[in-house]
């Protein structure tokens, strides 16, 4: 036999909680006019759509104004057929709309045994209770819902302001590119490519969040400065809050020798323009003195080569990856910050989430973040046509122990330094 159809209105803990909350309403604290205005403004919060708000306004206006005064009972006894006639919808549609309003906590409903809606009166004929659509929950939640409407208006105003700034910055940049006749062709082409990337990242401007629009606006304004050949803005120096060497005194500690042993020195040859190599074993704020003890050095030597963290200083990464500033990303202040930026860098470069997870599983979170940053920089320089495939290739090389991130970092830093020279 087919299962019997359930009889009665669906019961949920949320609906039961709304019924209990409606009993605590203080009638007379909110007028019917205030509730009607609130119902008309609720669609801006996303809680209800226009049709649901129209039905809610109709319900509020159905109850007399005295029902919302002290001693009144704002309960509606109209049938679904009558409400359907008033809002020009079907009775079935009205039933579904009432259920949605009930689930949203904007009304409560008390059903009778035969689903008829009728009032219960005392000996003097005053309504004291009834089975119908109860509006008291709106009185209880009025302050909360009114605050949601106010916040939605503030966010909409901020989004409109961000949208106007973005469109103005975009217009200024296009005008600057059109009027800059002395701009080198290579630089113009690079700026135009970056402009298209920003436009693609934003997408439909009217639907983009205000935070993204503000970052894009700052980036476009920076492009205008580059077109106008204004002097470069002073960069904020990266300041570490702890010493680079715990055993160092008041004098400056300088790392002048490679921290790797003689057996591993051939693997870390670098160009003359590269900066000093920083290893996780020394020179970082989280490790000990600059010279490891013989026992510690012997333990580091026997460590497998593919598992050794070929990390560099965070300052070298910031110097080698100017694309972080190009795309408006917040400059990381720690390795954890760099790891948290990895998903954003993947979205900008078009790297899939599966490729990122494989890189994290194979290389670890920090090394994977460095590899993604290298991929983003080469993608920005148009040296990589498929960032997704490039990261997968780096992951395979890391699994084979043939990936040297430090060489790529110092190579990119050297090329960027040479480009800045006049």
């Amino acid at each position: 036999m087919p299962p019997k159809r359930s009889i009665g209105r669906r019961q949920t803990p949320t609906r039961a909680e709304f019924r209990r909350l409606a009993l605590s309403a203080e009638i007379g604290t909110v007028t019917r006019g205030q509730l009607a205005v609130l119902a008309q403004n609720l669609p801006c919060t996303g809680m209800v759509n226009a049709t649901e708000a129209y039905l809610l306004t109709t319900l509020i206006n159905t109850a007399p104004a005295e029902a919302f005064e002290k001693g009144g009972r704002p309960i509606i006894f109209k049938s679904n057929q009558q409400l359907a006639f008033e809002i020009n919808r079907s009775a079935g549609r009205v039933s579904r709309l009432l259920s949605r309003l009930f689930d949203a906590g904007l009304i409560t409903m008390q059903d009778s045994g035969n689903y008829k809606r009728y009032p219960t009166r005392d000996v003097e004929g005053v309504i004291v209770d009834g089975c119908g659509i109860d509006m008291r929950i709106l009185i209880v939640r009025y302050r909360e819902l009114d605050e949601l409407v106010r916040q939605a208006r503030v966010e909409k105003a901020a989004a409109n302001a961000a949208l106007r700034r973005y469109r103005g910055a975009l217009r200024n940049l296009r005008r600057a590119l059109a009027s800059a006749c002395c701009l080198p062709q290579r630089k113009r082409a690079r700026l135009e490519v970056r402009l298209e990337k920003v436009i693609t990242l934003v997408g439909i401007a009217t639907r983009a969040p205000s935070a993204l629009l503000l970052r894009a606006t700052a980036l476009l304004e920076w492009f205008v400065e580059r077109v106008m050949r204004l002097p470069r803005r002073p960069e904020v120096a990266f300041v570490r809050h702890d010493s680079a060497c715990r055993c160092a005194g008041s004098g400056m500690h300088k790392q002048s020798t490679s921290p790797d042993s003689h057996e591993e020195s051939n693997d870390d040859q670098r160009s003359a323009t590269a900066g000093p190599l920083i290893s996780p074993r020394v020179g970082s704020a989280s490790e000990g003195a600059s010279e490891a003890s013989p026992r510690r050095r012997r333990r580091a030597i026997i460590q497998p080569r593919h598992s050794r963290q070929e990390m560099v200083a965070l300052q070298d990464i910031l110097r080698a990856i100017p694309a972080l500033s190009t795309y408006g990303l917040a400059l990381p202040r720690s390795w954890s910050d760099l790891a948290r930026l990895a998903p954003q860098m993947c979205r900008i470069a078009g790297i899939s989430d599966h490729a990122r997870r494989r890189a994290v599983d194979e290389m670890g979170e920090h090394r994977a973040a460095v590899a993604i940053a290298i991929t983003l920089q080469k993608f920005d320089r148009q040296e990589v046509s498929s960032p997704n495939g490039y990261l997968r290739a780096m992951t395979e090389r890391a699994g084979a122990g043939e990936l040297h991130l430090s060489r790529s970092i110092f190579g990119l830093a050297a090329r960027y330094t040479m480009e800045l020279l006049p």
Side-chain angles (χ1 to χ4, degrees):
M1 293 179 60
K4 293 183 178 181
R5 182 179 178 182
S6 58
I7 300 175
R9 191 177 303 278
R10 181 167 55 92
Q11 301 298 319
T12 63
T14 304
R15 290 185 174 185
E17 179 64 26
F18 286 147
R19 284 199 191 98
R20 185 172 62 177
L21 188 60
L23 298 177
S24 63
E26 296 182 6
I27 309 298
T29 57
V30 181
T31 64
R32 187 180 67 172
Q34 290 175 312
L35 294 179
V37 172
L38 174 65
Q40 294 173 2
N41 293 331
L42 277 179
C44 70
T45 64
M47 293 183 61
V48 295
N49 56 32
T51 306
E52 294 165 355
Y54 181 35
L55 176 58
L56 184 60
T57 305
T58 302
L59 291 173
I60 295 173
N61 292 330
T62 297
E66 296 78 11
F68 294 94
E69 296 177 359
K70 191 172 183 180
R73 288 292 182 270
I75 303 177
I76 312 303
F77 306 107
K78 284 185 178 180
S79 63
N80 289 352
Q81 288 79 5
Q82 181 62 30
L83 292 173
F85 173 76
E86 293 182 3
I87 68 172
N88 195 21
R89 298 293 189 274
S90 65
R93 180 72 180 278
V94 169
S95 178
R96 292 189 293 271
L97 293 175
L98 290 175
S99 295
R100 294 174 191 168
L101 293 176
F102 198 173
D103 291 332
L106 301 177
I107 63 172
T108 58
M109 302 183 69
Q110 182 64 41
D111 297 319
S112 62
N114 57 0
Y115 294 98
K116 299 296 183 180
R117 295 169 184 163
Y118 55 85
T120 301
R121 303 177 184 272
D122 58 9
V123 294
E124 298 179 356
V126 179
I127 299 176
V128 294
D129 202 355
C131 295
I133 306 171
D134 196 342
M135 311 301 296
R136 287 180 291 181
I137 187 65
L138 270 181
I139 299 176
V140 178
R141 302 186 62 192
Y142 175 76
R143 304 300 176 191
E144 171 195 351
L145 298 175
D146 188 59
E147 180 63 22
L148 289 178
V149 172
R150 189 193 66 82
Q151 291 178 2
R153 288 176 173 173
V154 171
E155 292 174 0
K156 182 62 177 177
N160 290 337
L163 179 62
R164 288 193 294 268
R165 283 198 58 192
Y166 168 76
R167 287 175 172 173
L170 184 60
R171 188 185 303 112
N172 291 339
L173 178 57
R174 286 173 173 169
R175 180 64 178 174
L177 288 173
S179 60
C181 56
C182 58
L183 188 67
Q185 187 63 30
R186 180 180 177 184
K187 191 173 183 180
R188 179 192 297 271
R190 180 172 296 180
L191 287 174
E192 290 176 351
V193 170
R194 290 179 175 177
L195 172 60
E196 293 300 324
K197 289 180 182 179
V198 172
I199 295 176
T200 303
L201 182 63
V202 172
I204 302 177
T206 54
R207 299 179 183 177
S210 57
L212 178 61
L213 291 176
L214 291 176
R215 291 209 307 264
T217 301
L219 197 57
L220 295 177
E221 292 174 351
W222 183 69
F223 288 164
V224 172
E225 295 178 2
R226 295 292 299 272
V227 174
M228 297 290 104
R229 295 187 174 184
L230 298 180
R232 186 180 295 273
R233 296 181 183 180
E235 297 182 358
V236 180
F238 181 79
V239 181
R240 300 188 65 96
H241 296 285
D242 45 5
S243 173
C245 180
R246 294 180 181 176
C247 65
S250 58
M252 181 181 297
H253 175 76
K254 296 182 179 180
Q255 179 68 36
S256 58
T257 59
S258 173
D260 296 306
S261 59
H262 296 288
E263 290 83 356
E264 298 176 340
S265 60
N266 293 333
D267 295 333
D268 296 302
Q269 296 294 330
R270 298 174 290 110
S271 62
T273 58
L277 177 64
I278 306 297
S279 172
R281 295 192 299 272
V282 294
S284 66
S286 60
E287 295 297 329
S290 60
E291 293 188 9
S293 63
R295 180 177 300 176
R296 290 179 61 189
R297 180 173 298 178
R298 190 159 47 247
R299 185 167 60 249
I301 293 173
I302 64 177
Q303 187 179 4
R305 179 174 300 177
H306 67 273
S307 65
R308 182 169 61 90
Q309 297 281 345
E310 272 194 312
M311 284 296 184
V312 295
L314 195 58
Q315 296 94 324
D316 294 329
I317 294 179
L318 298 180
R319 182 163 53 93
I321 315 294
L324 295 176
S325 300
T326 301
Y327 292 101
L329 298 176
L331 296 183
R333 291 185 169 273
S334 64
W335 292 108
S336 299
D337 292 344
L338 182 63
R340 282 192 289 269
L341 285 177
Q344 301 182 39
M345 292 188 289
C346 288
R347 286 194 293 269
I348 294 173
I351 299 173
S352 65
D353 193 56
H354 179 264
R356 180 182 64 84
R357 289 197 302 267
R358 279 197 57 191
V360 171
D361 294 340
E362 184 65 41
M363 293 183 277
E365 196 173 27
H366 293 169
R367 294 190 70 201
V370 175
I372 292 171
I374 293 173
T375 306
L376 175 64
Q377 180 61 33
K378 292 192 175 183
F379 171 70
D380 182 68
R381 296 175 60 91
Q382 301 181 0
E383 298 177 1
V384 173
S385 58
S386 176
N388 199 62
Y390 189 79
L391 181 63
R392 292 184 185 275
M394 294 178 71
T395 304
E396 294 177 0
R397 292 183 61 188
E402 300 175 354
L403 182 65
H404 304 284
L405 296 176
S406 59
R407 299 179 185 178
S408 300
I409 288 294
F410 290 123
L412 289 172
R415 276 185 287 177
Y416 182 65
T417 304
M418 294 297 295
E419 291 178 358
L420 294 179
L421 296 177

